[in-house]
Amino acid sequence: MATLILVRHGRSTANTSGVLAGRTPGVALDERGAAQAAALPGRLAGVPLAAVVTSPLQRCRETVRPLLDARPGLPLHTEERISECDYGDWSGRKLAELMDEPLMEVVQAHASAAAFPGGESMRAMQARAVDAVRDWNERIETGHGEDAVYVMCSHGDIIKSLVADALGLHLDLFQRIHVDPCSLTVIRYTRLRPFLVRLGDTGDLAGLAPRESPADGGAAEVGGGAGAP
């Protein structure tokens, strides 16, 4: 079946301000995120692409725009099922204050039991994203052949949940996966099993440098974090 290149959107204004954006409208790429998006066509220059599928949210649409500008005629499709997790009442709140919420411990350690107040469960988030990928794999293969490659631009938690599915990991383990802004994660799907070919590839090791404020107790950054400083 098709090969899927998952692109997390470039760094956003919410990432740099430490806010859990969720589906809040008007969240754009910041200056660094725009530069990351501008570099995307060069990073994918040697890869023939059948299509681009994107989350409807602004930060994803801005991320794929340079790629589409560099490849006139490349089909663009919007897919609601790969939109950001609906964090409900948590949307727009500071991540630092959310760390004190009792639910955060569940999100970190038992994601399959986590449901956001006024929003959706993490199980539902993963299920819709996996269904979307399966549908698009079939659509791309039918239209372009079994060796076709396509891009899907989405969000940190969505991509992590898709990687967990590809690896056969329980959703409770998906917080062990990390993908930086504008990183590329590649999954090759076959009839019997998927293969994880790349994970969170930025071509940059700056994210390995020690940070001034390390994550609290090794907690995963809900929403995906801002990447390297």
Side-chain angles (χ1 to χ4, degrees):
M1 296 178 69
T3 295
L4 170 61
I5 300 176
L6 289 161
V7 180
R8 186 184 167 203
H9 62 77
R11 197 174 74 175
S12 73
T13 52
N15 293 146
T16 46
S17 61
V19 169
L20 186 63
R23 299 180 179 181
T24 306
V27 176
L29 299 183
D30 68 5
E31 184 176 355
R32 178 169 181 168
Q36 291 170 333
L40 194 57
R43 295 169 66 194
L44 293 172
V47 184
L49 298 175
V52 173
V53 182
T54 184
S55 157
L57 295 182
Q58 179 179 341
R59 53 196 183 272
C60 287
R61 291 186 284 107
E62 290 179 350
T63 297
V64 298
R65 177 47 52 191
L67 178 61
L68 295 167
D69 289 344
R71 300 200 191 192
L74 183 62
L76 172 66
H77 306 276
T78 300
E79 174 56 75
E80 296 281 349
R81 292 175 294 176
I82 61 167
S83 188
E84 179 64 284
C85 183
D86 184 355
Y87 297 116
D89 297 344
W90 279 26
S91 301
R93 293 179 61 187
K94 288 281 189 179
L95 285 162
E97 69 180 45
L98 289 172
M99 294 303 296
D100 295 328
E101 294 280 353
L103 177 60
M104 182 60 84
E105 188 175 13
V106 182
V107 170
Q108 293 290 327
H110 192 16
S112 64
F116 296 98
E120 71 178 333
S121 70
M122 303 201 90
R123 288 192 324 279
M125 174 200 74
Q126 183 186 43
R128 62 174 166 82
V130 169
D131 284 347
V133 167
R134 296 293 191 271
D135 290 347
W136 277 103
N137 283 348
E138 182 176 354
R139 182 171 173 178
I140 294 294
E141 183 179 2
T142 298
H144 302 276
E146 63 181 13
D147 294 326
V149 181
Y150 71 108
V151 165
M152 184 174 276
C153 186
S154 189
H155 307 268
D157 282 348
I158 295 287
I159 293 172
K160 288 161 55 178
S161 73
L162 289 169
V163 170
D165 172 75
L167 293 176
L169 292 177
H170 196 282
L171 184 60
D172 288 348
L173 302 179
F174 100 124
Q175 297 289 24
R176 302 183 184 193
I177 299 165
H178 181 78
V179 289
D180 273 340
C182 223
S183 63
L184 305 182
T185 293
V186 183
I187 303 173
R188 179 173 296 126
Y189 288 86
T190 73
R191 187 173 66 86
L192 295 180
R193 64 181 65 86
F195 292 89
L196 181 63
V197 181
R198 295 283 191 280
L199 175 61
D201 188 346
T202 62
D204 178 4
L205 297 182
L208 300 180
R211 303 197 181 188
E212 293 182 7
S213 301
D216 182 23
E221 296 176 274
V222 179

